[in-house]
Amino acid sequence: MVTQGTAAVRVGVIGVGVIGGDHIRRLLHAVTGATVVAVADADGARAQAVAEEFSIPRTHASGAELIADPEVDAILVASWGGTHEEYVVAAIAAGKPVFCEKPLATTSQACLNILAAEVAAGRRLVQVGFMRQYDPSYRAVKAELASGRLGAPLLAHCIHRNSSVTHSWSSEMMLNDACMHEFNIVPWLLEDDVVATQVLHPRPNSDAPAGLADPLLVLMHLRGGAIADVEVTMNGHYGYDVRAEVVGERGTVALPDPAAPLVRFEGTRSAHVALDWRERFETAYDIEMQEWVDAVVAGTSTGPSAWEGYVATAGAEAAVASLSSGALEPVDVIERPALYS
Ligand code: NAP
């Protein structure tokens, strides 16, 4: 709970790597109503360096210590996925709002443990970092679908292309990490649940690290009968490219290409393609962080919930099962607790 009368929400950040550092910069320079007062990271030297870079007053030896700090009002978790459960559950136990980067947790059982803690607390404290819900172009597509004039959605065609990845990437990570975003955004756009999924893999790109099934084609079957196909590519070479088109009964709606000047030069017509996710979704991350801070100040929770985190992880888990079996795998989830209705 934010202390009454404080000028700004005092945020403590756990995990100050790539996105943790970006969020700190955002909270300090792009967002109003928040400040960062403490950091913690498994790499203590990195935490210290980030604290010095941003003039953050305290560096804690552990995430648990940061969560217990009475000068910290709200927690931002940006360590790797396998650590999220512990920190999110501890933040809930401390009664502090917590923004958790995706995935909420790496297994559906860990997500269920978080849901149980939040349900026991009796109020929503968790927001998951599904930033696409804040991207203006995704919001425009959702508004068009909500207008109803296209009729019921029948199909969605999605693309999630990266330029290249390091050798540490596995085929499972393509589902758990990259396609995790589509396991959230497809149900959000279509306002429906993914009930089964199947993963197909064509001939792998010879430029991909050995053993990486790149690209993948992920089929998502929704409860109402719509089907989404998602191409997940890790070595697309030309840039970072996220697309979506929803086919309705009377028309279609697609994400526009991000605004970039059209250049005509020496016999070509060209436009810049984003190089990575940071560039493509910069505005979305800024809006996401502002709306989280605003909700914390208001004592509410408005963003992607722990429930959404759970069902996305369950979807990715079923996709990983399909990667081995080749079969259409069910996405089994519990009945939605009333807290998330
Ligand atoms: P990263 O650069 O590796 O940063 C993670 C940091 O957390 C590292 O400094 C790491 O230290 C530290 N850490 C590891 N275990 C820890 C623990 N138990 N307690 C505290 N700190 C710990 O990773 P990243 O790319 O920023 O990703 C972090 C999270 O954000 C992941 O869950 C990722 O999926 C998510 N993410 C989301 C988006 C999005 O679009 N929403 C984009 C990027 C990342 P070591 O290096 O010593 O392990």
Side-chain angles (χ1 to χ4, degrees), residues 141-278:
V141 169
K142 186 169 172 72
E144 178 58 52
L145 290 168
S147 78
R149 66 178 178 159
L150 301 183
L154 308 172
L155 291 166
H157 306 296
C158 306
I159 287 176
H160 185 157
R161 288 191 194 133
N162 290 269
S163 194
S164 62
V165 287
T166 63
H167 283 261
S168 61
W169 273 76
S170 66
S171 308
E172 289 75 15
M173 284 170 71
M174 290 172 62
L175 300 165
N176 287 326
D177 221 308
C179 196
M180 177 65 67
H181 282 293
E182 275 78 14
F183 275 109
N184 174 255
I185 207 69
V186 167
W188 182 78
L189 277 179
L190 272 55
E191 297 188 356
D192 202 352
D193 306 316
V194 177
V195 293
T197 182
Q198 184 174 18
V199 177
L200 308 175
H201 37 97
R203 181 177 73 186
N205 187 332
S206 59
D207 293 338
L212 193 68
D214 178 23
L216 291 175
L217 187 63
V218 182
L219 301 179
M220 299 178 184
H221 292 243
L222 291 113
R223 191 180 308 284
I227 294 179
D229 57 80
V230 183
E231 175 203 315
V232 185
T233 287
M234 305 317 286
N235 289 276
H237 290 287
Y238 67 88
Y240 179 81
D241 198 3
V242 165
R243 301 191 212 166
E245 180 179 26
V246 180
V247 179
E249 292 168 296
R250 292 185 285 279
T252 77
V253 57
L255 284 182
D257 273 342
L262 185 61
V263 178
R264 292 178 172 82
F265 182 63
E266 293 185 342
T268 63
R269 222 163 43 129
S270 62
H272 172 74
V273 178
L275 296 178
D276 60 20
W277 48 271
R278 293 165 103 176

Side-chain angles (χ1 to χ4, degrees), residues 41-176:
D41 195 288
D43 182 338
R46 184 176 297 148
Q48 195 59 47
V50 168
E52 279 167 22
E53 180 186 351
F54 293 103
S55 303
I56 296 166
R58 285 190 301 291
T59 302
H60 284 290
S62 70
E65 194 180 290
L66 179 145
I67 292 166
D69 182 342
E71 302 290 312
V72 170
D73 302 315
I75 314 297
L76 189 152
V77 178
S79 46
W80 76 279
T83 67
H84 292 180
E85 176 192 7
E86 174 193 347
Y87 295 138
V88 173
V89 168
I92 294 169
K96 297 185 180 184
V98 53
F99 177 95
C100 179
E101 258 311 333
K102 64 84 184 144
L104 175 60
T106 46
T107 65
S108 52
Q109 183 53 56
C111 293
L112 284 171
N113 297 342
I114 291 170
L115 292 190
E118 199 173 33
V119 168
R123 63 193 173 111
R124 280 190 47 197
L125 288 163
V126 181
Q127 176 170 328
V128 184
F130 289 127
M131 79 298 179
R132 291 190 190 180
Q133 294 189 21
Y134 299 88
D135 178 64
S137 55
Y138 268 110
R139 285 185 161 182
V141 169
K142 186 169 172 72
E144 178 58 52
L145 290 168
S147 78
R149 66 178 178 159
L150 301 183
L154 308 172
L155 291 166
H157 306 296
C158 306
I159 287 176
H160 185 157
R161 288 191 194 133
N162 290 269
S163 194
S164 62
V165 287
T166 63
H167 283 261
S168 61
W169 273 76
S170 66
S171 308
E172 289 75 15
M173 284 170 71
M174 290 172 62
L175 300 165
N176 287 326

